Amino acid sequence: MTPDHRGVFVPVLTPFHRDLSVDAERFVEHCRWLLAEGANGLAVFGTTSEANSLSIVERMTLLERLIERGVPPATLMPGTGCCALPDTVTLTRHAVERDCFGVLMLPPFYYKGVSDDGLYASIAEVVQRVADARLRIYLYHIPPMAGVGFSLPLIERLLKDYPRVVVGIKDSSGDWKNTEGLLGLLEAFPGFEIFPGSETHLLAALRKGGAGCISATANVNVAAISRVIRDWNKPDADALQQSISDVRAAIQKYPMVAANKAILAQFREVPEWDLVRPPLRSLDADSKTRLLQSLEVLQFDLGRRLATV
Amino acid sequence: MTPDHRGVFVPVLTPFHRDLSVDAERFVEHCRWLLAEGANGLAVFGTTSEANSLSIVERMTLLERLIERGVPPATLMPGTGCCALPDTVTLTRHAVERDCFGVLMLPPFYYKGVSDDGLYASIAEVVQRVADARLRIYLYHIPPMAGVGFSLPLIERLLKDYPRVVVGIKDSSGDWKNTEGLLGLLEAFPGFEIFPGSETHLLAALRKGGAGCISATANVNVAAISRVIRDWNKPDADALQQSISDVRAAIQKYPMVAANKAILAQFREVPEWDLVRPPLRSLDADSKTRLLQSLEVLQFDLGRRLATV
């Protein structure tokens, strides 16, 4: 249950300045805090990170800043899947050359109704063009956003053809049946690392061989999620799971990026944390109040202060 | 009915070399042929162009090549809408600075279920950041691919707030009711240019004040489509419309990009025209045969030979 890359990974929120440029220093600070709070790794540049609202150059610059500022590449799983093959290759090669332990790869997501053959070719082209033995791909399955996804037969084909390259998946289908289907692959592919995209079914997934989770709300609740993973086979595991599920349920009533940013803005007393790039919008004042009240009822706390990190 | 920018616009196919790099020379040649055949303009870098499978640099380089090689910027309406605001601004500014008469703007298309407010902010930010009086935006409404689109209330709001900037729309909803709704805006906004994304309802749209069409199949049938626009109020208009609708119907039984490329590969005797970037796939041999047979039944011809252009 505890190979190197298992645990809770955070799809790190990207903070902005008032002019919507990236606040790299606050990003580094948040990453360091997450690791200190118990994150096993940082899935930077995911959906929660507004990665697709950033340019390729912004993403590469930010990754380099993180590493320069001492965040270990061995904790980094940047998102690198773009619509355009050359962009995916550029970002993937960059991550591999910076020694990130893996990349989280969206399928090309503009064209809908594409075939498994076409998606297979997309991944195969990236592998061949990056051509680096260090490359480790985690597939990013999130049909509610991407509009396309990785079917079980496609995943099996990739695992067979690229056994040391395609090593895991983030399942953000929001469909436990799909996660169970993936967990069923473990018999044939025991090393396959399956991360549900939410902590709601974390314990259930761990009990069936899941690798942990990669969850938006880990941006604000990583210590508690981390405890579930640590104590998954202890008597209080179900109670711990209930507690993180309650927090998740309170937050996911609202748009996830804006809600998590609103929580950080409030607890850190940094109003700029609230900023999102369009087409996303910050929570309105009323939603913010209701969200924070529901968290107060749950005795939610953000965890250690930044100064102690 | 014939202001400057009305007529048939071609979302130009992007040809590739065997290694999937862009074949800029063949692209220029195809663009010149389309204009010679009667295209009123070139909506380069649309869905049919596999624009979202190209990097930002590839798109800018290709646009510059076109202009260098004598394609008038006054015929160019490049697609510039990306997921990331900085990319949309980069491409839009580039097109405006190169004197393209307009840009065709997808909404940011990664996040689904975003609000009209968020989409409004996306367009507004681009207008403010490009800050150039020459900017003319054609909204690109294609929910079947983008997963998000421009609602009528959002369009009205943009037309009111940016009357000389937001000047038209391509409606690729594939829903005639939506096109009719847009045509209903002409009473309040008489200069608004409405282009259905297909020639199937071209005559119907023209009769209600539509501006023409921007259609994938114009890559192979532009002369005939152009005749419908020229003769729309003549007695044979319905017969001409029927003829282009028949060709369209034959082609759209297959994936559009691959089908149009297969036709060019066959008629030009250039097998490389068949190449697409993943996640798209070329037509299989059987589909190709059936497509070409159905076109033969319709006595379809590609038009003048390249050498005569």
Side-chain angles (χ1 to χ4, degrees):
Chain A
M1 180 49 223
T2 40
D4 282 358
H5 304 135
R6 309 212 158 177
V8 50
F9 285 69
V10 190
V12 185
L13 291 162
T14 307
F16 298 114
H17 294 292
R18 293 257 160 229
D19 66 358
L20 298 183
S21 62
V22 175
D23 187 340
E25 279 312 300
R26 201 176 303 287
F27 183 69
V28 170
E29 176 190 80
H30 186 51
C31 285
R32 294 162 68 115
W33 177 77
L34 289 166
L35 290 171
E37 285 287 286
N40 300 84
L42 304 174
V44 294
F45 315 137
T47 299
T48 309
S49 319
E50 298 173 72
N52 289 305
S53 300
L54 306 176
S55 71
I56 299 295
V57 171
E58 285 178 320
R59 289 159 76 154
M60 293 197 295
T61 307
L62 210 45
L63 185 69
E64 293 189 0
R65 179 74 74 95
L66 269 190
I67 296 171
E68 277 163 27
R69 293 290 308 278
V71 172
T75 66
L76 293 171
M77 184 204 276
T80 62
C82 303
C83 292
L85 178 63
D87 291 338
T88 303
V89 170
T90 298
L91 289 179
T92 303
R93 188 178 285 142
H94 180 256
V96 168
E97 286 172 352
R98 295 308 181 280
D99 289 316
C100 296
F101 84 84
V103 297
L104 188 55
M105 197 170 289
L106 277 171
F109 55 83
Y110 180 65
Y111 292 102
K112 306 304 187 286
V114 296
S115 64
D116 275 6
D117 266 1
L119 294 175
Y120 177 89
S122 298
I123 302 292
E125 283 285 342
V126 175
V127 175
Q128 284 154 34
R129 285 164 194 246
V130 172
D132 192 310
R134 293 171 293 179
L135 173 60
R136 268 192 297 269
I137 296 175
Y138 292 80
L139 305 171
Y140 188 5
H141 180 66
I142 182 168
M145 284 299 164
V148 292
F150 296 99
S151 70
L152 281 180
L154 171 57
I155 295 164
E156 280 196 70
R157 194 175 156 199
L158 288 166
L159 287 171
K160 275 180 192 147
D161 292 354
Y162 298 104
R164 277 169 300 277
V165 180
V166 176
V167 295
I169 191 164
K170 174 179 179 187
D171 179 16
S172 295
S173 63
D175 173 8
W176 174 244
K177 290 263 172 246
N178 191 67
T179 309
E180 279 187 321
L182 291 169
L183 291 162
L185 290 173
L186 289 174
E187 199 165 330
F189 305 96
F192 192 46
E193 300 174 31
I194 299 156
F195 295 91
S198 155
E199 65 274 39
T200 305
H201 296 290
L202 174 57
L203 198 51
L206 291 170
R207 285 172 175 157
K208 292 189 171 199
C213 71
I214 305 177
S215 168
T217 36
N219 274 283
V220 298
N221 204 27
V222 70
I225 296 170
S226 173
R227 274 193 293 279
V228 173
I229 295 175
R230 191 191 59 199
D231 296 343
W232 73 282
N233 55 1
K234 296 206 178 141
D236 64 344
D238 287 287
L240 292 170
Q241 173 67 53
Q242 188 60 51
S243 140
I244 62 172
S245 292
D246 289 346
V247 170
R248 169 85 188 191
I251 298 173
Q252 74 180 10
K253 280 186 193 147
Y254 304 91
M256 281 302 252
V257 178
N260 279 285
K261 283 189 157 180
I263 294 167
L264 283 171
Q266 172 73 15
F267 281 82
R268 294 260 187 271
E269 299 178 20
V270 175
E272 286 79 6
W273 254 122
D274 233 7
L275 297 163
V276 294
R277 280 194 179 169
L280 301 188
R281 301 271 80 190
S282 305
L283 288 197
D284 58 55
D286 189 47
S287 299
K288 245 179 251 182
T289 305
R290 282 184 289 122
L291 167 62
L292 294 168
Q293 281 170 347
S294 66
L295 290 175
E296 208 177 328
V297 171
L298 295 170
Q299 298 184 295
F300 169 83
D301 184 33
L302 193 58
R304 276 186 293 168
R305 291 181 174 279
L306 276 177
T308 67
V309 176
Chain B
M1 179 51 220
T2 41
D4 283 359
H5 305 135
R6 310 212 158 177
V8 49
F9 285 69
V10 190
V12 185
L13 290 161
T14 307
F16 297 115
H17 294 292
R18 292 257 160 229
D19 66 357
L20 298 184
S21 62
V22 175
D23 186 341
E25 278 313 300
R26 200 177 303 288
F27 183 69
V28 170
E29 176 190 81
H30 185 52
C31 285
R32 293 162 69 115
W33 177 77
L34 290 166
L35 291 170
E37 285 287 285
N40 300 84
L42 303 174
V44 295
F45 314 138
T47 299
T48 309
S49 320
E50 298 173 73
N52 289 306
S53 300
L54 306 176
S55 72
I56 299 295
V57 171
E58 284 178 320
R59 289 160 76 154
M60 294 197 294
T61 306
L62 210 46
L63 185 69
E64 293 189 0
R65 180 73 74 94
L66 269 191
I67 296 171
E68 277 164 28
R69 293 290 308 278
V71 172
T75 66
L76 293 171
M77 183 203 277
T80 62
C82 303
C83 292
L85 178 63
D87 290 339
T88 303
V89 170
T90 298
L91 289 180
T92 303
R93 187 179 285 142
H94 181 256
V96 169
E97 286 171 353
R98 295 308 181 280
D99 290 315
C100 296
F101 84 84
V103 297
L104 188 54
M105 196 170 288
L106 277 172
F109 55 82
Y110 180 66
Y111 292 102
K112 307 303 187 286
V114 296
S115 64
D116 275 6
D117 266 1
L119 293 175
Y120 177 89
S122 298
I123 302 291
E125 283 285 343
V126 175
V127 175
Q128 284 154 33
R129 285 164 193 245
V130 171
D132 192 310
R134 293 170 293 178
L135 173 60
R136 268 192 297 269
I137 296 175
Y138 292 80
L139 304 172
Y140 188 5
H141 179 66
I142 183 168
M145 284 300 164
V148 293
F150 296 99
S151 71
L152 281 180
L154 171 58
I155 295 164
E156 279 196 73
R157 192 174 157 200
L158 288 166
L159 287 171
K160 275 179 192 147
D161 292 354
Y162 298 104
R164 277 169 300 276
V165 180
V166 176
V167 296
I169 190 164
K170 174 179 181 188
D171 178 16
S172 295
S173 63
D175 173 7
W176 174 245
K177 290 262 171 247
N178 191 66
T179 309
E180 279 187 322
L182 291 169
L183 291 162
L185 289 173
L186 289 173
E187 199 165 330
F189 305 95
F192 191 48
E193 301 174 30
I194 298 155
F195 295 90
S198 156
E199 66 272 40
T200 306
H201 296 289
L202 174 57
L203 198 53
L206 290 169
R207 284 171 175 157
K208 292 187 171 201
C213 71
I214 305 177
S215 169
T217 37
N219 274 283
V220 297
N221 205 28
V222 71
I225 297 170
S226 174
R227 275 193 293 279
V228 173
I229 295 175
R230 191 191 60 198
D231 297 344
W232 73 282
N233 55 2
K234 297 207 176 138
D236 63 345
D238 286 289
L240 292 171
Q241 173 66 54
Q242 188 59 50
S243 141
I244 62 171
S245 292
D246 289 347
V247 169
R248 170 86 187 189
I251 298 174
Q252 73 180 10
K253 280 185 192 146
Y254 305 90
M256 281 302 252
V257 178
N260 280 285
K261 284 191 158 179
I263 293 167
L264 283 170
Q266 172 72 15
F267 281 82
R268 294 259 188 272
E269 299 177 18
V270 174
E272 285 79 7
W273 254 121
D274 234 7
L275 296 163
V276 293
R277 280 195 179 168
L280 301 188
R281 301 270 80 190
S282 305
L283 289 197
D284 58 55
D286 188 47
S287 299
K288 246 179 248 181
T289 305
R290 283 183 288 123
L291 167 61
L292 294 168
Q293 280 171 347
S294 65
L295 290 175
E296 207 178 329
V297 171
L298 296 171
Q299 299 183 295
F300 169 83
D301 183 33
L302 193 58
R304 276 186 293 169
R305 290 179 177 281
L306 276 176
T308 68
V309 176

